[in-house]
Each structure stands twice: as structure tokens, then as C-alpha cells.
Amino acid sequence: MSGAPAVRISIESASEKQVQEVGLDGSETYLQPLSMSQNLARLAQRIDFSQGSGSEEDEPPPGAQARDWAAPGDAEDEEGLVKFQPSLWPWDSVRNNLRGALTEMCVLYDVLSIVKDKKFMTLDPVVQDPLPPKQNPQTLQLISKKKSLAGAAQILLKGAERLSKSVAENQENKRQRDFNSELLRLRQHWKLRKVGDKILGDLSYRSAGSLFPHHGTFEVIKNTDIDLDKKIPENYCPLDVQIPSDLEGSAYIKVSIQKQAPDIGDLGTVNLFKRPLPKSKPGAPHWQTKLEAAQNVLLCKEIFAQLSREAVQIKSQIPHIVVKNQIISQPFPGLQLSISLCHSSNDKKSQKAASEKQSPEDHLYVLEHNLHQLIREFHKQTLSSTMMPHPASAPFGHKRMRMAGPQAFDKNDISSLQPNEGLLEKIIKQAKHIFLRRRSIQLQLNIGVEQIRVVHRDGRVITLSHQEQELQDFLLSQMSQHQVHAVQQLAKVMGWHVLSFSNHVGLGPVESIGNASAITVASPSGDYAISVRNGPESGSKVMVQFPRCQCKDLPKSDVLQDSKWNHLRGPFREVQWNKMEGRNFVYKLELLMAALTPC
């Protein structure tokens, strides 16, 4: 067989995959092709090694047995000419069986050696496809219906999955669009910048001229707390802001005036917070209220830091005291001005601690408002002007720094550009003014639930009912008495002498509301006298008494013979008060006194 031509045998499977099943929707399920080792093992399973070589087909015909006794040499000589010749040798079958057994033993040895080394081939069992058992027609019909329903359910599940993915993508795109639109609204009110993958904002007043070193940076984050599958609430906002922890909550500056100063050792942290926390305005987003409250906290901290700095630097006869979050000053002896920073965060502990402290009933809201105005004026003064610097290379710094270059200002000139009075000095002056104004108050009204308590300057207390007429009559009587008191104070200023004064005049017409008041004053020379009677209902009546010598219409008396008695004052004459010049009662009376006072 050495001369036979070589034949190539390909054991690779076809590249086309076999179709196992075609679904109702047209989808095909393919069978995976076998690997080379699986294909070789499958072909080896088909070989039947139990059949021997000594079968009936291998027996030679009877006529050919004579040739089987021929010599082996002769057979080999004719081998090239005769392709097949049955053997007539009687031990030919034994020889063939021994040769086949030797071949099988050699093959078995080679296979065992290859399997033992596991370098070139491994034997894996091939699972043959079991034959389907025979089933009745009802079972086959049920199985077919089950497969059909399973295919339809699979199609529906795939469609539902695609729909759910599409809805989720639409909601995510909508939320992204809402986030971008809300971010645009935020950018219209606050300064924003992008740093890396973060969006940062600015709460400080540096652009308005503030020198406070706090950065005031907040971060804009996307609100992902809500579940897209659930119903979106009405107050949902697609973005949220994260502010620094020291700016959370609410704060205000408390300014109070007390008569008795406490001991310095008793001073501690003041945590007064009775005013409610800021609520969101209707229609305003949540982030707007949160940022406004944080900016207010930052401004209050800047105000208190500026006041603390000035309290330490300013030299006064009575030094100012700065303890924790409280500044104490004494504008007058025995009078104390207290300025405190009250900051309350959103946690429950600080709110509980704030409720345990005393209530800020003595808080002067006017001075708090004035402090905010003063700090804004300070920002305006330090802010650079709109004019361009000269030369153009000069820095865009503060005004005094920019003017120092081209005009060659020295340190003294630059310091002269700064305001002389600080924030603390201005607020102390305003506190002095308020205290002096309190001392000049005529009365005080305490409005209750069912009654009104009136506290006079001299300490008298009058209780009024809820009737409106009672309060109106009382105020009219107080106005009448106030005008008479104003005449008394004006006489002291003008140098006139008070001859008589009465809050309850018993002469003249009876007033239906309260009592009339009267006062009589004389000029410095004693020649003229002015009498004023003021009633709640009758109004003001002013009379002037001239010297007797100036009264030409007086009859001559035989009793007064000496000329010295002519210097006595004559009868009173009423002044036409409506024709007097002046804006009010006090101005008119001042002009009258000035006209009657000799030069």
C-alpha cells in the first residue's frame, strides 16, 4: 500500500449552524457545532470493535486452497501484479487473528499512553440525545399550547421591558431638562462657576466691597432622592444646594440698652432666639430661602466681627468688653449697651437651648436695622469706583490703593481717606440718642387683651377699658397738658418767668373731656405777661397783658396819683391766634415772646 496516493481527510465541521427551532415570531434557535475533540469522540463511538476478522466473508473459495500452499516467496513476487488473491494456506486464519490482536494491543497501548499523559487528547463522554418518549395526543397538544404561550409571554415580556426602559429614559431626560432650567433660574440670582465636575456658588459680599475673609461658597447638587416610579410631589425641586455648616440656620444681631451692668464674670454665651425661622415665600423655590438665610448669617457674622475689631482697637475712658458672642459698652455712667450675635441652627438641640434662655423683649430693632445700613455704607465706601484706573496698569483694588499710585499719597493721606468713625462709634451715638429720647417720653401705653394701662412719666398708672372713646379723650387731654408744658419749657429757654402753672384750672367754662390747663409767664423786664389756657375741647386761648402806660383807652383814675403806678400792667387782651404766623403752637408762641421782649 506504499504506492497508493495520499488522501486528505477533513474532520472540520461545516461553518453553517443547524437550526434547532423556529419561533412564532420568526426567531431561529441554532445548535452550537461540536468541537474537534467532541467530534472525534462521537465518531469513535460509532466503531464496533466486537466484530472479528475471521468471518464468512473472509473465507477463501474452495478452488483457491491449492494456491494457499505456495511458497511465500512466490506470493511476494506476484504481489505487485495481483491486487487480491485468496490464501490457500491452512494457518492463514490463525495468522490473521494474531495479527489483528497484535494491532489492537498496539492501538490500545498507544491510546492508554496518550490518555495517561493528557498532552495530546482527552476523552470526554458524549451524551447521546435520548429518544422522546411516546406520548398521547392530549399531552402533545398540551405541550404545544404551553410552548406557544411561553413564546407569546416571552414576546410580551420583551416588549414591556423595552417600554419600561423607554419610560425611564424619558423621565431621566425630563429630570435633566428640569435640572438645567432650575439651574438657569439659580444663575439669574446668584453667582455660579464650574470647578471640575462641581458647580459652586458665592454667598459673600466681596463683589459689593466686603472685606470679610469668609469664602461663602456653596455647592449645587442634583436632587436624586425622589423615586421616579412614584408620584412626584408638588414641592419637588430638581436641584438642591449644600451650604457650609457654619452658615446653616438663621441669625440676627440683638442690640439692647440696660441700666444696670451685670458682673463681667457672669457674662457667657448669649443664645437668644425667639423670632421664628424664615419660611419659604409662596412661589419661591426652596434653594432661594436657604441661600438667603445663609447669606444673612454671613452678614451678621461680618457685622459682629467688625464691631469686635473696633471694640478692641478703640481707646475710650471705659473700655469696651468683648466676651464670646457679646459686646458690652457704657455710653453713660450706669447705662449699658449690649450687642450680641444670636445664631440658631436647624438642629433640635440648639432650638431647645435657645428656648431655655430669656426672651429678647428689650431688643431694639431700629439699631439692628441701622447696623445693616451702616455695614452696607461701609461696603460702598470700600468698593472701587466705576472710573478706570490711571495709569491703565494700576490695580483694580480699593479706591485708596488706586489713588495712592498716580497721586503719590503717603500713609497719612491714605489713612485720611478712610472714614474717621467706625461702626461701633456710630451705633453708640445712636444708642445715646435713643436713651435720651426715652427720658423725654411723656407717657407709655401697655396694650393688653381687654384693657390698656397708661404709665405716666411721674409713675402714675391709669387703666382704660376697651372703649375707643376713652383712649381718644385721654389722648386729647394729654395733648392739652403737653402744650402747656411746652410753654413752660419755652419760657425757660427764652428767659421768661413762670408766674403760675396749673394742670386743673377751676375757673372758666367746664370742659366735658378732662380738665383745662393754664400757665402765666412774665417777660424778663416784667412789663409784659402772657397767659395761656388750653382745654381738650375748647382749645387754646392766649392773652397778653401790656403795661398801663401803653393802654390809651384806660380811664384816668383819681386813686393813682403817682406816675410810678403807671408802670403796672393793665388788663389782659386776647390774641387772635388764627392770624399768628408759625407752623404750630410752639412756633407761634415763640414769635410772640420774641416780639414782647425788649432789645
Side-chain angles (χ1 to χ4, degrees), residues 6 17 37 55 78 160 168 179 265 275 321 332 422 471 499 528 563 574:
K17 298 181 182 180
S37 61
S55 60
E78 298 177 358
F179 174 78
R275 60 175 61 179
I321 302 174
F332 293 112
L471 181 60
L499 301 179
Y528 301 92
S563 61
E574 185 176 357

Side-chain angles (χ1 to χ4, degrees), residues 335-350:
L335 185 68
Q336 171 183 299
L337 174 65
S338 175
I339 304 175
S340 306
L341 173 62
C342 302
H343 183 199
S344 174
S345 57
N346 295 328
D347 54 350
K348 296 182 179 179
K349 293 183 178 179
S350 62

